[in-house]
Amino acid sequence: MAAITIPTVTSKIQEFVLKNQFKKFYSTFTQAIFGVQTKAGRPIKCHYWSSNPYSGKCTATCPVKNEYGTCISGNVCAETGLSIPSDYVGPMSECRKFHEELFTNTLKTVKICKNHAYEQGCLPKDFRGADIVNSEKNPNGNYDPDGIFSDSRIKNNYPVFVLADGTYFIGFSMYFPAMPVYTVDINGHKGPNKWGYDIFSFRLDGSFNNGISNLTGWTYATEKGGKTFTQMYDECFK
């Protein structure tokens, strides 16, 4: 009986702890981003569209993809054949300035790894990127080793911002990321260091008039038994 009960109780305790850590991360991060926007006194152009104004007018299509299905050429509008508008997914001209204010001045960031985050200790030793996790779940899948939030990209190219409480954020693309997409480990280097348990991905959504308005889950990987950002949010707040 004990052999059955103890693992169950331990799992419930871990789940309870992780939910509280998720709540803390969500509260801290939302307060920070809205604080930056309030300080600016206007909507900040660094978000995806909550409701895309190009819907029905321009459908993005990629003319050239690699063997993994990743686009390696600029997207074009299927309706016209022309390049998609620069703000097709959202206005992002102020992302660099926004991220500087967010991570340098607002959040309690104690360490920034501009690149090579794994070598510099910003990532835990057992960290694995989305491509590796997805390959383990589905060995027959075809996952791009150079794709978004892949193991190689995260460990060598993406910036990582470590907060005073150990929470760290992986930014998409270059230093002070040019797009508002993140992967967060809500308890830092502590275990389990698994996607869908303490590692989640999300983006910032908003509108032209209001700027950044909310965090939206964006799933790149979820390990067995884990939850998506949206599922975790619903269980914590709804």
Side-chain angles (χ1 to χ4, degrees):
M1 181 66 72
I4 297 174
T5 304
I6 293 174
T8 301
V9 172
T10 302
S11 177
K12 290 293 184 182
I13 292 173
Q14 182 190 59
E15 184 177 3
F16 176 79
V17 171
L18 290 175
K19 283 184 178 180
N20 282 336
Q21 289 170 336
F22 185 92
K23 290 177 182 178
K24 179 183 176 183
F25 134 72
Y26 191 90
S27 175
T28 298
F29 195 73
T30 52
Q31 287 180 28
I33 60 173
F34 295 142
V36 171
Q37 190 161 248
T38 298
K39 183 178 178 180
R42 58 179 175 76
I44 290 179
K45 297 177 181 178
C46 184
H47 59 80
Y48 284 77
W49 296 118
S50 293
S51 179
N52 197 314
Y54 296 103
S55 179
K57 302 174 184 177
C58 175
T59 304
T61 183
C62 181
V64 183
K65 297 181 180 180
N66 65 14
E67 60 183 297
Y68 302 101
T70 302
C71 186
I72 57 176
S73 178
N75 284 309
V76 298
C77 295
E79 293 81 354
T80 64
L82 300 176
S83 297
I84 62 172
S86 60
D87 64 345
Y88 178 79
V89 296
M92 300 185 186
S93 61
E94 296 180 316
C95 279
R96 193 171 298 274
K97 183 177 180 180
F98 167 70
H99 283 116
E100 287 184 8
E101 180 64 31
L102 178 65
F103 288 108
T104 303
N105 300 324
T106 305
L107 290 169
K108 296 179 180 179
T109 305
V110 295
K111 184 175 182 179
I112 299 175
C113 293
K114 298 181 181 180
N115 48 45
H116 299 290
Y118 189 73
E119 294 178 9
Q120 297 182 59
C122 282
L123 297 171
K125 295 296 183 182
D126 57 350
F127 183 88
R128 298 171 303 155
D131 58 320
I132 293 179
V133 170
N134 288 324
S135 293
E136 291 174 349
K137 282 185 64 178
N138 180 18
N140 296 320
N142 194 27
Y143 303 103
D144 192 344
D146 197 38
I148 298 175
F149 290 115
S150 68
D151 197 69
S152 177
R153 282 285 185 94
I154 291 174
K155 290 179 178 178
N156 298 302
N157 304 115
Y158 288 174
V160 175
F161 308 89
V162 184
L163 305 191
D165 65 357
T167 303
Y168 65 82
F169 293 85
I170 304 168
F172 175 63
S173 74
M174 61 196 72
Y175 181 55
F176 288 128
M179 299 179 75
V181 185
Y182 318 87
T183 289
V184 60
D185 189 319
I186 58 176
N187 63 359
H189 287 215
K190 297 178 182 179
N193 294 325
K194 296 171 65 176
W195 295 71
Y197 288 80
D198 53 351
I199 301 176
F200 302 91
S201 298
F202 65 98
R203 71 186 193 190
L204 303 184
D205 278 5
S207 63
F208 180 81
N209 290 328
N210 298 319
I212 303 167
S213 59
N214 61 281
L215 278 59
T216 301
W218 205 351
T219 303
Y220 293 97
T222 306
E223 300 192 47
K224 184 179 179 179
K227 302 177 176 70
T228 66
F229 180 98
T230 301
Q231 289 171 329
M232 193 67 160
Y233 175 85
D234 288 345
E235 290 188 15
C236 288
F237 297 105
K238 291 185 178 182

